[in-house]
Amino acid sequence: MILVKLNGGMGNQLFQYAMARRVSIKAGLPLYLDTQKFESCTLRKFALKHFNIDALFAKPEDKWRLHIHRKIDPIAFVQGLLDLKRPLHKRRIIRELSFRFEPSLLQIKTPAYLEGDWQSPKYFEDVEETIREDFTLKALPYGKTLETSHIIRNAPDSISIHIRRGDLVSDPSTNQTHGTLPMAYYSEALASLAPKLEEPTAFLFSDDPNWAIANFPAKGITLHPVDHNNEETAHFDLLLMSQCQHHIIANSTFSWWAAWLCGHPEKTVHYPKNWFKDSPHDTTDLCPADWIPLG
């Protein structure tokens, strides 16, 4: 089996699943999801239930079968010592050592437990169509979401704009790591993108919509705030964002996935060059080569 540890918000979970799904396909092994983290986490919930994923939920005995409880399992302790002598892709427990893409992990062929963020499209680009199918929604949009979907699809030059605040503002530790993007980033992105479009129409998404609407630099552009969804229906915002033709994303895996899932063949995606405020992570492999960094 391939067992993956899930944690973080929806965007993080999508990355973790995509990496593990690719491994399971290439290794010919079933995929299991370790969702134990969410049993004690009050900030995040298991978010993949909204998608047509192909995986089973891990039971405690599944984790024991891989001997990952090193502190209380003598066999796991020995396995851990042996793992240190093996190449990374042949270890029983594979923990992410760097934010950069690790090519050797494409060679995983044996049962393994994956623990990391795995935030690079290079981990699953050769199974892209499968990932896109897995990340379709189980439920069809309805109500205001369906109305907004029609508006987006009929807009000649739609732009998804994501302003993330939430815990980036309220939690000092998260703010120290990620920071919040200045409005100058959005102004620069619009100044670069809008002149190339005949009728640019911006759809504004945010977890703090009132602040975003009040502070967004929307001069000379039609702006449609999308503020009817909440934490429980965030997957519908992901769908709506992905239906836009172009994207100005935040330093957020949520809007990263919205842009990646967008199927518009001539899409333009702008992303912040400084993805982190204060972090040693090397983000070289985070975004596709044809996306445009700004800031």
Side-chain angles (χ1 to χ4, degrees):
M1 75 176 71
I2 299 299
L3 208 165
V4 60
K5 181 178 181 179
L6 297 181
N7 66 85
M10 182 182 294
N12 284 28
Q13 293 175 48
L14 291 171
F15 268 115
Q16 291 151 9
Y17 172 88
M19 160 64 167
R21 177 76 159 113
R22 190 268 177 195
V23 172
S24 73
I25 291 172
K26 298 301 180 180
L29 296 169
L31 175 59
Y32 287 79
L33 308 179
D34 177 7
T35 60
Q36 184 178 1
K37 177 76 173 181
F38 303 110
E39 295 175 5
S40 58
C41 180
T42 58
L43 295 177
R44 303 295 187 183
K45 298 179 180 180
F46 174 66
L48 300 187
K49 62 183 179 181
H50 302 294
F51 302 91
N52 288 303
I53 60 172
D54 187 359
L56 301 170
F57 288 101
K59 300 177 181 178
E61 55 265 33
D62 295 320
K63 298 170 71 172
W64 278 98
R65 284 166 59 193
L66 285 176
H67 300 295
I68 65 174
H69 301 287
R70 293 181 178 174
K71 292 184 179 180
I72 56 178
D73 179 3
I75 297 178
F77 179 77
V78 174
Q79 287 284 357
L81 295 178
L82 294 175
D83 261 359
L84 296 176
K85 300 180 179 181
R86 298 188 182 106
L88 184 60
H89 68 281
K90 291 186 177 182
R91 296 180 183 179
R92 184 175 295 268
I93 301 176
I94 300 177
R95 291 190 171 92
E96 188 174 43
L97 301 180
S98 167
F99 202 77
R100 291 290 305 269
F101 166 65
E102 175 49 63
S104 69
L105 297 184
L106 299 181
Q107 303 175 39
I108 299 172
K109 298 296 182 184
T110 56
Y113 180 81
L114 306 178
E115 183 177 350
D117 292 322
W118 319 114
Q119 292 180 15
S120 172
K122 295 179 180 179
Y123 282 121
F124 47 85
E125 61 187 1
D126 57 348
V127 294
E128 176 178 336
E129 292 308 312
T130 297
I131 299 302
R132 290 183 180 277
E133 291 175 8
D134 288 1
F135 290 167
T136 56
L137 296 182
K138 291 180 178 179
L140 295 175
Y142 57 89
K144 187 67 173 178
T145 294
L146 184 58
E147 294 175 16
T148 306
S149 177
H150 287 316
I151 295 172
I152 290 175
R153 289 180 175 276
N154 289 320
D157 295 301
S158 56
I159 307 170
S160 166
I161 298 174
H162 184 220
I163 296 179
R164 179 188 172 192
R165 287 174 59 78
D167 58 344
L168 296 189
V169 176
S170 62
D171 183 70
S173 177
T174 305
N175 179 270
Q176 182 62 34
T177 300
H178 293 275
T180 54
L181 293 175
M183 287 299 103
Y185 160 73
Y186 295 97
S187 296
E188 182 182 2
L190 281 173
S192 172
L193 179 57
K196 303 173 185 177
L197 307 176
E198 293 185 8
E199 298 181 51
T201 303
F203 294 86
L204 180 62
F205 299 82
S206 177
D207 53 4
D208 190 353
N210 292 332
W211 186 96
I213 294 168
N215 290 275
F216 185 74
K219 295 181 180 179
I221 190 170
T222 303
L223 181 66
H224 290 275
V226 182
D227 58 0
H228 63 276
N229 284 311
N230 54 37
E231 184 179 358
E232 296 300 320
T233 56
H235 53 288
F236 283 135
D237 269 355
L238 186 74
L239 172 67
L240 294 174
M241 293 166 72
S242 71
Q243 291 176 340
C244 293
Q245 297 174 0
H246 308 284
H247 302 265
I248 299 173
I249 71 174
N251 51 340
S252 160
T253 54
F254 186 83
S255 49
W256 187 103
W257 276 106
W260 189 87
L261 289 169
C262 169
H264 185 58
E266 298 179 0
K267 69 182 176 185
T268 296
V269 181
H270 287 296
Y271 70 93
K273 180 170 59 177
N274 297 319
W275 194 264
F276 294 101
K277 174 184 177 181
D278 185 12
S279 170
H281 291 322
D282 182 344
T283 59
T284 301
D285 299 319
L286 174 62
C287 294
D290 58 346
W291 292 12
I292 305 168
L294 291 176

